[in-house]
Amino acid sequence: MMDIIDKRARARLFRERLNQAMQACDLSQSALAKSIGVDRSTVSQLLGGDGARLPNAHVVGACASALKVSADWLLALSERPESAADLLATSLSMSQAPRALVDEQIFAWHQEAKGYKIRHVPATLPDMLKTEDMVVWEYAPHLGRTSAQVIGASKDRLDWMSSAHSDYEIAFPISELRSFLTASGYYAGLSQDIRRAQVAHLLDIHASHYPRLRIYMFDSHRLFSAPVTVFGPLLSAVYLGQYYVTFRDTERVSAFTQHFDTLVREADISARDFGDYLSNAAREAGL
């Protein structure tokens, strides 16, 4: 008996959803019939009655295609009307990334996630925590905009962090900081004056923004992370260099959150100890 009741309920939902989708597309019965290659009377039968009979798979699929919804949704097998392709396009996307991570797309994602915790693994030192001279040294040769614009964009991000009521957690490798302090690797050629001022700037920001801003450092011999930012439960963005790959589906955002939490849990330098560690490391490096 339950099977009969279920079939009737499913048939009723099919009729309701078919009618809803037609209204959303502003499509008449005649127009839908022409689109799927049947008589108008057939569409009228699909929408009318109170029986348990459902149309065949060909008709359901044709209706779904014409109305740009999923067949599963029409048949009450899913609560999402989007097609599988549309769901994928929504949950996974790629967008171009400028050389600097201070671009408008990143800022828009920060604004969208206002009030949520933002977790960030930077590609180098965190952009929003860099001094003006550091920003110019790193990005000015690569960008089409002026140095002043780059500096302004970086300041905007720091101001946003200060006023957006969002907690920020940043994790990056100890080896990255060591390379910066010794002007080696990526930071080769960076002057002592810029490095010394950058250290003072980091210490000042850490002191004034902790605990809303928490910086952790991990050992890259034990742990690895690509540059990634997790904007609360809303989305995660992986930085590939020329592109961001963004995910919005709950399962993947949760996976990136767990990945970041592992970096924090197994960090060698805790957020509480970051200031002392940086001061000592800078002193050892002659800064």
Side-chain angles (χ1 to χ4, degrees):
M1 187 60 141
M2 284 299 296
D3 287 341
I4 295 175
I5 294 174
D6 288 344
K7 288 179 180 178
R8 286 184 177 277
R10 193 177 303 282
R12 174 179 55 78
L13 282 170
F14 172 81
R15 292 190 293 270
E16 291 176 357
R17 291 184 175 187
L18 180 63
N19 184 59
Q20 178 182 335
M22 290 172 61
Q23 290 182 9
C25 292
D26 195 21
L27 210 62
S28 66
Q29 292 187 23
S30 297
L32 178 60
K34 182 177 181 180
S35 179
I36 66 176
V38 299
D39 295 334
R40 183 185 179 284
S41 59
T42 300
V43 174
S44 180
Q45 291 173 8
L46 294 177
L47 292 167
D50 58 1
R53 187 175 179 179
L54 288 165
N56 62 43
H58 173 77
V59 172
V60 173
C63 288
S65 178
L67 298 170
K68 295 180 173 54
V69 295
S70 74
D72 282 353
W73 179 74
L74 284 178
L75 293 171
L77 298 173
S78 168
E79 293 305 312
R80 300 293 298 267
E82 302 96 332
S83 67
D86 288 338
L87 284 172
L88 180 61
T90 300
S91 64
L92 170 63
S93 62
M94 292 183 66
S95 57
Q96 287 190 326
R99 174 65 178 86
L101 296 182
V102 292
D103 65 289
E104 293 306 315
Q105 179 61 80
I106 283 285
F107 195 24
W109 288 332
H110 276 77
Q111 291 175 306
E112 183 181 351
K114 180 179 179 179
Y116 290 113
K117 180 188 291 186
I118 296 175
R119 301 167 171 89
H120 179 47
V121 181
T124 58
L125 293 181
D127 275 358
M128 66 173 65
L129 307 184
K130 290 172 180 171
T131 63
E132 295 182 10
D133 288 339
M134 185 72 189
V135 169
V136 171
W137 176 84
E138 190 167 7
Y139 294 132
H142 307 283
L143 298 177
R145 45 186 160 175
T146 66
S147 298
Q149 288 175 309
V150 178
I151 292 167
S154 186
K155 285 183 175 179
D156 287 345
R157 306 315 180 262
L158 182 58
D159 290 344
W160 177 259
M161 181 188 70
S162 302
S163 63
H165 307 294
S166 294
D167 284 350
Y168 279 72
E169 289 188 338
I170 297 174
F172 63 100
I174 295 173
S175 57
E176 187 72 26
L177 182 63
R178 289 289 183 179
S179 293
F180 160 73
L181 292 174
T182 58
S184 59
Y186 177 81
Y187 301 95
L190 183 60
S191 74
Q192 187 181 62
D193 287 344
I194 292 179
R195 285 180 285 135
R196 183 177 289 117
Q198 179 64 68
V199 168
H201 187 60
L202 279 171
L203 289 172
D204 179 63
I205 291 177
H206 177 262
S208 60
H209 288 78
Y210 180 84
R212 283 188 54 209
L213 169 65
R214 296 183 291 279
I215 304 174
Y216 302 84
M217 304 195 68
F218 58 88
D219 183 355
S220 55
H221 287 285
R222 295 191 301 107
L223 301 167
F224 171 78
S225 178
V228 60
T229 306
V230 185
F231 297 89
L234 304 179
L235 71 127
S236 55
V238 180
Y239 178 61
L240 300 182
Q242 296 184 8
Y243 295 94
Y244 302 116
V245 178
T246 56
F247 303 85
R248 286 187 176 270
D249 57 296
T250 301
E251 183 177 355
R252 286 174 177 80
V253 173
S254 177
F256 281 107
T257 300
Q258 292 175 27
H259 163 71
F260 187 92
D261 288 347
T262 297
L263 298 178
V264 169
R265 185 171 56 253
E266 300 191 21
D268 287 45
I269 310 302
S270 70
R272 184 184 298 275
D273 296 332
F274 173 77
D276 289 340
Y277 179 82
L278 176 57
S279 295
N280 293 333
R283 189 160 43 250
E284 291 175 6
L287 301 177

